[in-house]
Each structure stands twice: as structure tokens, then as C-alpha cells.
Amino acid sequence: IREGIEDDVRQDGRSRMDYRDFSLQTDVLAQTNGSARLELGSSRVLVGVKLEIGTPDPNTPNWGILKTSVEWCKASASRAGERIDRELTTASLSRRLERALIPAPGSNKGGIDLGSLCIIPGQQCWIVYVDTLILGDGGNLIDAISLGTRAALRNTKIPKINLVPGELDGEMEFELSDDPLDCTRLEMHNIPICVSLTKIGNYYVIDPSAEEESCMSMQLTVAVDKDGNFCSMSKSGKGAIDPSGMIEMLQSV
């Protein structure tokens, strides 16, 4: 594997900066507001988005709330030690995805427009649950989950809400439309996708297979929006990043 990467010819014939082919389907789960199934090589993920009305975080009273979870398909469970490793992996994947999707407080760039999910400031908001099920691990799960999540969010239908005066002066209440076709969509422009650069030997590769990941020293995942802005970065693995090489890495994204 290392020799092939050095020669820029990987085991499946790709160069270091090539992605594998992927297939994508949306609207695949009936009991969700949005869903998608993505296959990237032999990595397969299923993403469902569900909405409910709740109370906003007191620290961000004008925002909705986003919650992510990543789980393995039960059919993939095996020995206890491997299950623990997989639980740690899914927890890490969930944190990295959430970091990519939630903008910094006060920022209007990168991530979901949580302000558009506020119904009544400080009182009611939409809570968005993004749940991912890993059906198969062929490497580069974070990028696969990110692509599937963006597709599922694009597919998400938000029931239309009308604000009406409440019984008390200055009080507002809301009514949900009964028409299932009367809905709005999320603004997608700033929602990023994750691109991971994986260091194997002295080189970085895009979209590693599971076999290539077993040889990696570290992985840097960058969330990039449609305009090419970097929304977040996260690192996994034990290897160190050479600061002098980081700019070159980011320019290749």
C-alpha cells in the first residue's frame, strides 16, 4: 500500500487525490422529515432527519437546536472489544459532524442556519435530529456520513408555521399547517461537506479505503462550504501535523 501511494498509483488504480465513485438516494425513509442513503466504495450509510418542537438553549435563544448521532448497524456487532472500539469511533464521528454543522455563536458563515429554526425567540424552536446508521465500513466514514447528511438535510421538509396572537397582550402562539405539502426547506448554501486528508508514509491521500486507513499515521478532516470557506477542522490518529505542510494540505482540498 505504501509503495503504491509513493508511486501515486493506489491498489484500486486511483491517484492520491481521487475519490471513489459513490451513489446516492434520497427520500428513502418514510417516517422522517428527510433521509438519504449513500454508498462510497464499500462504505454504506443511512441518514435520517427528524424534527420536533422544543425550547431553545438559553445561551442561544434565537437559534434552533441540532443534535447528531452515529450508530453501527446491529448486524455489524461482534466481539465485546470490537464493540467498544466501534462505540468510540461513532462518538468521534458524531462530534466531528456536529462541529462541522453548527456555526460558531455570532457567525453567519458555515453550517446550518439555526436562526431560521427559531419559532418564538426564547420559547419555541425546531430541534433537528440527524441520525446516521453505518451499514458498512469500507473506509473514510466521516466523508461518507457528511455527504449523506447534506443530502438528507436538502431532502428535509419543515412543516410551515403561522404565528398568531395569544390570549395575553404581546403573547404569540403558533399553528402548524395541516397540509403535508405546505412546508419550507433548509437554506443549503452554507452547509459544508467534510474532506479528509489521510497521511500514509510521507504522503496525503483523499478518500482512503479501510486497508489504507490501517496504515495511516493521522487524518485531518476539513469542513468546506460551497464558497470554499473552511468551517471547521478536526484531527484523528496519533501522528503530528507539520505546520509548514498544513497550508499545502489545505490548498489541495
Side-chain angles (χ1 to χ4, degrees), residues 229-246:
N229 298 310
F230 296 143
C231 304
S232 71
M233 288 191 293
S234 60
K235 173 188 168 294
S236 61
K238 298 180 180 179
I241 301 176
D242 180 3
S244 63
M246 182 175 288

Side-chain angles (χ1 to χ4, degrees), residues 8-191:
D8 202 16
V9 181
R10 294 154 77 175
Q11 286 186 318
D12 54 11
R14 291 181 292 151
S15 70
R16 289 190 289 266
M17 293 292 108
D18 282 344
Y19 264 92
R20 292 167 290 181
D21 293 335
F22 68 87
S23 64
L24 177 66
Q25 295 174 284
T26 58
D27 210 16
V28 293
L29 296 174
Q31 303 301 317
T32 61
N33 295 88
S35 60
R37 178 188 174 104
L38 182 125
E39 296 186 12
L40 176 63
S42 55
S43 288
R44 296 175 291 119
V45 298
L46 183 65
V47 184
V49 179
K50 298 200 74 172
L51 304 175
E52 72 175 28
I53 293 174
T55 304
D57 188 317
N59 295 317
T60 51
N62 297 316
W63 279 13
I65 296 173
L66 174 76
K67 296 185 177 183
T68 65
S69 72
V70 180
E71 295 182 0
W72 291 89
C73 176
K74 290 183 179 179
S76 299
S78 56
R79 298 187 304 273
E82 188 173 350
R83 285 199 297 270
I84 293 173
D85 289 341
R86 288 186 167 189
E87 287 174 3
L88 293 174
T89 298
T90 54
S92 173
L93 289 169
S94 181
R95 287 194 301 269
R96 292 159 75 183
L97 179 65
E98 195 166 289
R99 186 177 177 184
L101 293 176
I102 297 179
S107 172
N108 60 356
K109 290 185 178 180
I112 292 178
D113 180 10
L114 294 177
S116 68
L117 299 173
C118 179
I119 300 172
I120 302 175
Q123 298 181 37
Q124 304 288 338
C125 70
W126 285 111
I127 302 176
V128 181
Y129 296 93
V130 179
D131 300 317
T132 300
L133 186 65
I134 300 172
L135 304 176
D137 179 11
N140 199 23
L141 282 174
I142 184 60
D143 289 14
I145 292 171
S146 170
L147 287 168
T149 296
R150 196 178 194 281
L153 290 170
R154 185 180 183 84
N155 180 243
T156 296
K157 303 177 182 67
I158 305 173
K160 190 170 183 180
I161 285 181
N162 297 312
L163 295 179
V164 297
E167 295 181 357
L168 301 177
D169 290 342
E171 184 182 55
M172 296 298 293
E173 297 179 352
F174 64 87
E175 296 177 347
L176 282 175
S177 174
D178 295 331
D179 185 353
L181 299 179
D182 193 12
C183 60
T184 60
R185 301 277 186 166
L186 288 167
E187 170 56 52
M188 296 299 299
H189 186 82
N190 289 330
I191 297 180

Side-chain angles (χ1 to χ4, degrees), residues 198-213:
T198 303
K199 188 174 184 180
I200 301 175
N202 296 320
Y203 296 90
Y204 292 94
V205 300
I206 291 285
D207 187 26
S209 65
E211 293 78 12
E212 289 172 336
E213 284 185 335

